[in-house]
Amino acid sequence: MNAGLVCALLALAAPRDVHTLSNLEAVRPVHLSLDLALDFEARRIRGTNELTLSYAAEAAPAFLDLDTRELTIRRVTDAASGQALGFALGVPVEYLGQRLRIDLAGQRPAKVRIEYETSPGASALQWLEPRQTSGRLPFLLTQSQAIHARSFVPCADSPGARVSYDATVRVPAGMQVVMSADHGTHEPERGIFRFHLDQAIPPYLIALAAGEIAFQALGPRTGVYAEPALLEAAASEFRDVEKMVEIAERLYGRYRWGRWDTIVLPPSFPYGGMENPRLTFATPTLIAGDRSLVNVMAHELAHSWSGNLVTNATWSDFWLNEGFTSYIENRIIEELSGADLAAMERILAQQELRREVAQLERTRPADTALVLDLEGRDPDEGTTAVAYQKGANLLFLLERHFGRDRFDAFLRGYFDRHAFTSMTTPRFLEILKRDLFQDDARTWSELRVEEWVYRPGIPSNLDVPESRAYRDAKAAAQAFAGTGALPEAAARWVTAEWLLFLNELPGRLAAAQMQALDARFALTRSGNSEILSAWLEKAIRADYTAAYPALEAFLTRMGRRKFLRPLYTALDEHPRTRELARRIYSRARPAYHPIAVATVDMILKWTPRGPGQGDGSTGSRVSRAPSTWAGSPPFPPPGGPPSSTGTTRSSATLRRDARHLLRTPRV
Ligand code: BES
Ligand code: ZN
């Protein structure tokens, strides 16, 4: 047997997750029972986690090892007898946190109970003051993917170690709590909320939000939560979601999670969306007024099959989550809004992929393969357009070759047969070869599947979709760049056409050209966050100062990393705008999520209170602009940044954690 084959067999037998310090091969939690009290003053969760354990062998392992990060462990007991168990926290390991080693004393306890407390800097938690929300109460939101769950729940924090869970959450009376779980009996007047999720999920899908939260039903099994000020706009934007579930079910089989609700979070939420089961977490920047950004909702729904039902077993297999999901997202959009829009979105995604691959080729070429080597690295380094769009394009290629009927049937069967399990890439390829290729080795090599998966770069058999709208947008961009002819058809363009047009313009326009477009189409006042972000990036490069008040308003009103990264990067590139970047950031930083802070600190090489930092009070070129983004709450409030930076981790920690984020421009 050759060495390659031996390695492949080993990988199939026991995928090793290099991002867990747990000993899940010997003993693993299968159910977590949480009792959590949220202390908004101290910015801490205090509580207990009772873990039900499953043992691999008859003999008791010496220890139960779990993942933690910045947790204080008060006490560990055998839940049945109440007997105290010895425990110790290991030294902090870069990116991974600390191993909690519990001495099982030669026993095989069915359940252990851990009393613990989180730290104010917990990477999964963002504690918001009322002024960072649109309501009157403080707010807590969690974001656990990829390996942040360990900072609020001691667990085996590996996507291959599935658990069911239940939770009792205690909050000040008057607050609501939602989780990625089914609702149990709540006692809101006493501030007690109960949840349970009976399906087994990876720990990164445990999620919680607490604050002033209202609900509106959208369909029989869909609805939207939001702060009251945003509820109506959110409900109107997302009114198609029930239809999306029906479409996805027709394509990929029954929706297995009961309800699909969405919570629109305060604007500091650093992602577009997060697929927490039964409850997608979403940024308010999706609210464009015309439902043109609901592809993100289609994406998060798609994870109900790819990601939540069949989960990447390790973060090196991340493309199994995001590549499949981006493919399914596009199929849902095609059914919902037509083939023209789906093709435009595919082209935008391919443009993004090419940009990303070109950049990674300069910095980390190996990361342009689908399977990543993340040993010694933060798994968030894998969140590039490669996993999403190279992954999706492999599936588009298979679809084109085998035809939709066969490919859809394959995917349906795959999700069904492997539901509630975690999947490695080698195992997936084995299933693909057997079930779709019928073991036809010739076709397998003709389609170059292994090249797609294991080799860097974009294979030449990428399928580029036909799109008349794209050709028109490109021609319009060329005409404008050449002769200054305004794209008159643009009055009827949808968001995707605008983005295609803006992408096809030269990298740097003259300020006068920007002015001409703006005078005709009012792009600086766009209420569409995607168009506005693309436009503002161009404005910075063109030194089109008329857009700077809108730029400042945008950057201080939301904290979505996808928009912060390109805008601060463009501002930092030129000496002319560098000071402006720092001034805006000094106002905005206290309200950004730790993940966003880490990203922007890196871009601006920011050291808070260090030498040479502007405090935002001098050199102002830009007045505070009125809101141009419909329905947005002030963020942060007029009058300057909140003084507290209590949730933000130390700058050194943030910078260390964020080094890679500069290279990972996906979300
Ligand atoms: N699961 C991801 C977000 C994520 C990935 C968080 C990795 C942390 C680590 C989510 O489904 C996602 O991809 N969101 C995108 C949506 C888009 C691709 C349509 C986003 O936030 O922009
Ligand atoms: Zn995703």
Side-chain angles (χ1 to χ4, degrees):
M1 210 183 282
N2 72 29
L5 190 54
V6 171
C7 284
L9 286 175
L10 283 175
L12 286 179
R16 198 171 79 83
D17 179 359
V18 297
H19 295 111
T20 182
L21 299 168
S22 69
N23 59 340
L24 54 85
E25 64 298 330
V27 47
R28 60 167 73 190
V30 290
H31 182 82
L32 309 180
S33 185
L34 299 162
D35 190 324
L36 307 175
L38 313 191
D39 181 342
F40 284 83
E41 299 263 287
R43 301 189 164 197
R44 287 182 195 275
I45 297 177
R46 294 189 189 84
T48 57
N49 183 12
E50 194 173 284
L51 302 91
T52 306
L53 303 174
S54 163
Y55 293 87
E58 283 300 317
F63 307 109
L64 164 65
D65 287 340
L66 298 172
D67 293 297
T68 74
R69 180 186 283 153
E70 292 187 40
L71 294 184
T72 304
I73 308 297
R74 298 261 173 243
R75 194 175 141 81
V76 183
T77 51
D78 176 334
S81 65
Q83 181 204 331
L85 298 173
F87 67 90
L89 281 172
V91 289
V93 181
E94 190 164 35
Y95 306 124
L96 303 187
Q98 286 170 283
R99 172 184 287 127
L100 169 62
R101 173 157 285 184
I102 297 169
D103 189 347
L104 295 179
Q107 311 289 308
R108 292 180 11 135
K111 295 181 182 186
V112 298
R113 188 165 178 278
I114 302 173
E115 275 174 47
Y116 72 101
E117 197 169 295
T118 64
S119 102
S123 59
L125 307 179
Q126 191 182 21
W127 303 88
L128 299 173
E129 294 176 24
R131 58 189 161 175
Q132 291 169 269
T133 74
S134 56
R136 293 156 299 157
L137 299 180
F139 203 100
L140 171 67
L141 61 93
T142 70
Q143 167 57 43
S144 291
Q145 197 181 8
I147 55 169
H148 302 291
R150 63 191 65 179
S151 76
F152 94 103
V153 175
C155 61
D157 192 6
S158 167
R162 309 179 82 91
V163 289
S164 50
Y165 80 96
D166 66 77
T168 301
V169 183
R170 300 163 199 278
V171 292
M175 220 176 232
Q176 279 80 42
V177 183
V178 289
M179 289 193 83
S180 55
D182 202 354
H183 292 250
T185 314
H186 298 324
E187 297 176 70
E189 63 293 343
R190 296 177 61 208
I192 300 178
F193 292 79
R194 296 186 181 86
F195 304 89
H196 62 98
L197 186 74
D198 300 334
Q199 293 117 322
I201 55 162
Y204 74 84
L205 293 175
I206 300 173
L208 178 153
E212 189 177 0
I213 300 170
F215 175 76
Q216 187 169 322
L218 296 170
R221 55 188 161 166
T222 48
V224 62
Y225 293 91
E227 293 188 88
L230 234 66
L231 186 63
E232 202 184 311
S236 156
E237 199 75 22
F238 298 150
R239 61 180 177 268
D240 282 340
V241 294
E242 185 76 34
K243 217 186 292 173
M244 283 188 186
V245 188
E246 287 161 14
I247 291 169
E249 284 194 313
R250 271 202 305 278
L251 288 168
Y252 303 112
R254 190 165 65 82
Y255 179 76
R256 309 256 201 151
W257 305 92
R259 293 194 56 84
W260 181 41
D261 294 319
T262 296
I263 178 164
V264 177
L265 292 159
S268 65
F269 184 59
Y271 294 109
M274 176 66 213
E275 67 271 23
N276 299 313
R278 296 177 64 94
L279 183 65
T280 284
F281 279 29
T283 166
T285 62
L286 300 186
I287 300 176
D290 60 1
R291 287 175 283 159
S292 63
L293 306 180
V294 294
N295 70 298
V296 176
M297 297 301 294
H299 179 98
E300 304 315 332
L301 171 64
H303 275 304
S304 303
W305 286 263
S306 47
N308 298 2
L309 211 50
V310 184
T311 308
N312 51 210
T314 75
W315 297 112
S316 295
D317 306 302
F318 183 59
W319 77 278
L320 292 179
N321 274 20
E322 298 299 344
F324 278 57
T325 297
S326 300
Y327 168 81
I328 296 174
E329 165 195 335
N330 197 264
R331 294 291 306 274
I332 296 173
I333 291 300
E334 181 180 322
E335 296 289 322
L336 187 72
S337 309
D340 290 348
L341 183 65
M344 285 190 263
E345 294 198 344
R346 275 186 66 188
I347 290 172
L348 283 166
Q350 289 185 351
Q351 290 176 338
E352 188 193 357
L353 175 63
R354 290 192 189 283
R355 275 197 303 273
E356 180 89 283
V357 167
Q359 202 206 321
L360 285 169
E361 269 164 358
R362 289 194 297 273
T363 52
R364 250 193 198 270
D367 283 3
T368 64
L370 284 177
V371 172
L372 301 174
D373 177 6
L374 293 171
E375 179 95 52
R377 299 166 69 191
D378 186 328
D380 287 352
E381 287 196 42
T383 63
T384 75
V386 173
Y388 287 78
Q389 303 309 341
K390 187 178 174 186
N393 275 291
L394 170 57
L395 302 198
F396 281 117
L397 176 69
L398 297 173
E399 178 205 300
R400 193 189 50 178
H401 182 84
F402 290 98
R404 277 203 169 163
D405 288 352
R406 271 179 76 185
F407 190 57
D408 290 356
F410 164 73
L411 282 184
R412 251 193 319 272
Y414 169 73
F415 291 133
D416 195 46
R417 278 192 284 281
H418 303 284
F420 302 107
T421 67
S422 300
M423 180 65 63
T424 64
T425 302
R427 175 91 184 104
F428 167 69
L429 291 186
E430 200 185 65
I431 293 165
L432 180 70
K433 196 170 192 175
R434 187 190 64 208
D435 294 354
L436 185 65
F437 285 74
Q438 315 275 307
D439 285 319
D440 173 358
R442 215 174 110 197
T443 312
W444 182 259
S445 69
E446 261 167 28
L447 291 189
R448 294 146 67 182
V449 178
E450 296 189 27
E451 179 187 337
W452 273 85
V453 173
Y454 292 113
R455 315 222 20 125
I458 304 173
S460 57
N461 58 347
L462 175 96
D463 176 38
V464 180
E466 256 306 300
S467 164
R468 193 197 168 100
Y470 169 55
R471 284 200 307 275
D472 291 350
K474 187 172 176 177
Q478 283 166 349
F480 177 73
T483 68
L486 286 168
E488 288 309 328
R492 294 178 302 281
W493 278 352
V494 298
T495 301
E497 288 169 299
W498 268 111
L499 296 175
L500 288 166
F501 171 78
L502 292 170
N503 277 353
E504 291 295 336
L505 289 173
R508 194 167 169 211
L509 289 176
Q513 290 174 299
M514 296 291 291
Q515 161 63 36
L517 277 175
D518 213 11
R520 174 73 179 82
F521 299 109
L523 291 162
T524 300
R525 284 189 282 119
S526 175
N528 182 303
S529 57
E530 292 282 352
I531 295 176
L532 185 63
S533 166
W535 173 251
L536 291 173
E537 194 180 336
K538 289 228 159 303
I540 296 165
R541 298 227 153 82
D543 202 25
Y544 177 53
T545 53
Y548 287 4
L551 170 68
E552 177 161 6
F554 189 53
L555 289 174
T556 51
R557 213 175 39 216
M558 60 85 226
R560 184 172 170 191
R561 214 172 58 152
K562 177 181 184 185
F563 300 141
L564 301 184
R565 187 190 285 110
L567 293 173
Y568 279 111
T569 301
L571 282 168
D572 192 57
E573 262 163 24
H574 205 283
R576 157 182 91 224
T577 44
R578 220 164 272 157
E579 192 47 41
L580 177 62
R582 310 179 83 72
R583 200 174 57 67
I584 295 175
Y585 188 46
S586 70
R587 277 186 65 207
R589 188 178 184 275
Y592 287 162
H593 188 281
I595 290 172
V597 168
T599 306
V600 184
D601 275 4
M602 278 300 291
I603 294 169
L604 301 183
K605 299 173 197 69
W606 183 270
T607 41
R609 294 176 296 281
Q613 295 298 325
D615 63 2
S617 62
T618 55
S620 175
R621 289 167 69 184
V622 177
S623 62
R624 206 159 281 129
S627 169
T628 55
W629 174 33
S632 72
F635 173 73
S643 54
S644 161
T645 55
T647 58
T648 311
R649 286 175 289 162
S650 82
S651 183
T653 315
L654 288 168
R655 264 200 317 284
R656 193 202 59 223
D657 290 358
R659 277 194 297 262
H660 62 279
L661 298 175
L662 293 175
R663 292 195 300 270
T664 57
R666 179 58 207 169
V667 288

